[in-house]
Amino acid sequence: MDRLFTRRTMLRASAVGTAAVGLTAAQQLIVPSLQQSGLLSADGVFDGASIALADNIYTEAFPTSPLILSPFVDPLPVPQALRPVDRSDFTTWPSPPGPGEGQQNSLGNEKHQCWSDDQRVRSPDPIVYKIDVKVDQHAFTSSQVLPIDTFGQPAVSFDASGKTYPAGLLRTLPNSTIYGFNGTFPGPMINAEYGKPALVRFTNMLDENPLNLDRQDFGTPDLSFLTHLHNGHTAPESDGNPHYSMTRGPKHHGYLPKQWVDNLYLNWPAASDDREKQSFFWFHDHRMDHTGSNVYKGLVGLYPIYDPKPMGSAGMTDGGDERQGLRLPGVRTNNSNGSFDVRYDIPLAFYDTRLDDGVTLHNDIHDSEFKGVKNPAKHPEWWGKTFFKHFPNHGFTGDIFTVNGTAYPVLRVKRRKYRFRFLDASISRIYEFKLMTSTQGPKSAVSLGLQGTELQGQYRIPDGQQCMRFMQVASDGGLVPFAFKRDSFELWPAKRREMVVDFMTYQDGSPTSPGDVIYLTNVMKMPDGRMWSNSSRFLPDPNYKVPMIKIIIDDGPPERDDSIVFDQKPLRALPPLPSNWQSMLDNRLIFEVKRGSAGGETEWLINDKPFDPLVNATSLKNKAGRTPLAQQKMGSFNLWEIRNGGGGWVHPFHLHMEEHRTVMRNNKDVTASSPGHPDDVSREDLVALDPSESVIIYRGFRDFVGPYVAHCHNLAHEDHAMMFGWEIT
């Protein structure tokens, strides 16, 4: 199996590994595998004079993206629901979907563990969708740009032939090469419903490149993919995780070109408990070692999920129709093909990017995986296209902020309530959002005399003032117990938050008027991937107000609004905690996330070990004196502790397959309230670990058996070993 050599093996045998076993032993272990894999160059890591991770194999340098000169002109892309495949079509496929042996993938070696007709699920046959994983191109803005340097001064620029253009010349950005679900970024949106399973056939077409696009130096080198529905209650063969894929199914990091896989999303809550229903998933690549680069390259899709179950005579609980059930904002239109669209219910996927300046050196320990680009080198031919580092010393953050794939878009809204589904699809960046007005409007950071990392975000509203509040109705794990108001909220990588905003009135009670402008504004300054330097919780910077969406109140009278949302409105009851959960503390499983001790930045560890897809992790010793394996019996519940080992980093830690309840932070019971983390009182699938923090969660392991993973969703960390395998038996 080709897992015998991974990038992590190379890393351990360099700065970390050689510190432990010596260069000779490391070479005997690794060099043949490197040569066989084509990753040992004549002047590479192991043939060089030095084995240290130093500037000869890595350069901590990032380009400054060209300044977008006309922000807030392009409309916000609002996705429409993907249409399913007609039954008369998919039944004629050479290998149609089905529950039989060998029908789960093109390799013919897996079947679906649980089909929709299972007596527990009792649902109709799945609705079938088809998504092709393709190479394509994408534009982040239609605006002209001014090439600038780190001091904000005009800089030279280049074109695809490497031709130089003088400083001060305005340019149009080239399209960036993406890997996209159906060739778009973000990819398609599937509007799902509980009780109606969806089967998605993902087909790998990354080997096809009809436009002859330059793939650059990031993205999976072998063109494989692995799709994870984050955080679907899903059997492992459809979960899309490397603990499964490396040992079953493809027995590889992912599915290779021409291969397909049928991921079955049963849209069925854990243990058939309505309190376990969720409301917003997303799907993204999870290919081992290249999750970050594949997500950054565009493999992101959206999956809102609605609850059509009747609430007595009130109709669908949360079915996208504001006249029924909980009456959250949304006007539903059913399509003849079985799909549906919902107006006033808008997903917002946030993603920061960085564009190549043509003069920054590409020098990364992983360059040997991309032989054709001949790094270390500068790449003027990539000017204006996305720039990525697999292995940044201080984490990767972009300096252009985008929403649904567009930088600084405009959203025109009616005078009524909207439901916004927020998703952080960034590699490392955490955001904190407020709704603000500004009399003077956006000013470029350059015009304000800012330089270096202060240029991130490109624009500011210096006179910005909060004008509206959010009403939170859902978090990662679905609807919260009660709607509650927020002045601002943090959004960590992979987290979802759902907010209702009423565009009829401002927070002081005054009415809005046609033509009014409100800015969705990021107030968290995060210069690198370690953690924020300023936020509302820690040292707020009153000058850091980056407008991300310009929201314009449309002309005309107020729009009809049948939704009803108010503070402390009951939404979804929580599954109960056992009354004796504290008695389980001594036997909890404990996992500590931190950097490797030798070399410091060379790999990211859990319980001092890197991810091994062939084994289940072992807990640190608990108070009962045990070090249990990360194995749980189906139908069981347990406490797990996730610790931040320090080092000045924060970690968004994600656990696949079921949501959890946070019960303790830093040895304090937070089941009733959690200052700084109000979402702790809801269900979540991602633990927000502040610096050196310890969090204890309670979660279940139900309905399926097999291998899953838990990992940091700072994807630079995940790709460098901060992940562990666990299993339901």
Side-chain angles (χ1 to χ4, degrees), residues 228-272:
H228 170 53
L229 181 66
H230 181 128
N231 190 48
H233 185 58
T234 304
E237 70 274 3
S238 293
D239 179 61
N241 78 78
H243 194 25
Y244 162 82
S245 74
M246 296 292 284
T247 57
R248 298 162 175 82
K251 296 185 179 178
H252 184 71
H253 304 82
Y255 291 92
L256 290 163
K258 306 304 183 189
Q259 293 179 348
W260 55 260
V261 59
D262 284 350
N263 284 359
L264 177 59
Y265 306 135
L266 288 166
N267 298 335
W268 169 53
S272 300

Side-chain angles (χ1 to χ4, degrees), residues 525-563:
K525 185 191 294 184
M526 190 170 174
D528 59 38
R530 288 177 179 268
M531 63 174 291
W532 57 85
S533 60
N534 306 89
S535 73
S536 294
R537 289 198 294 135
F538 294 87
L539 299 172
D541 181 348
N543 297 315
Y544 189 80
K545 303 167 188 173
V546 178
M548 296 191 62
I549 305 176
K550 181 179 182 179
I551 302 170
I552 303 175
I553 306 294
D554 254 353
D555 294 339
E559 186 85 355
R560 179 187 174 104
D561 186 352
D562 293 314
S563 66

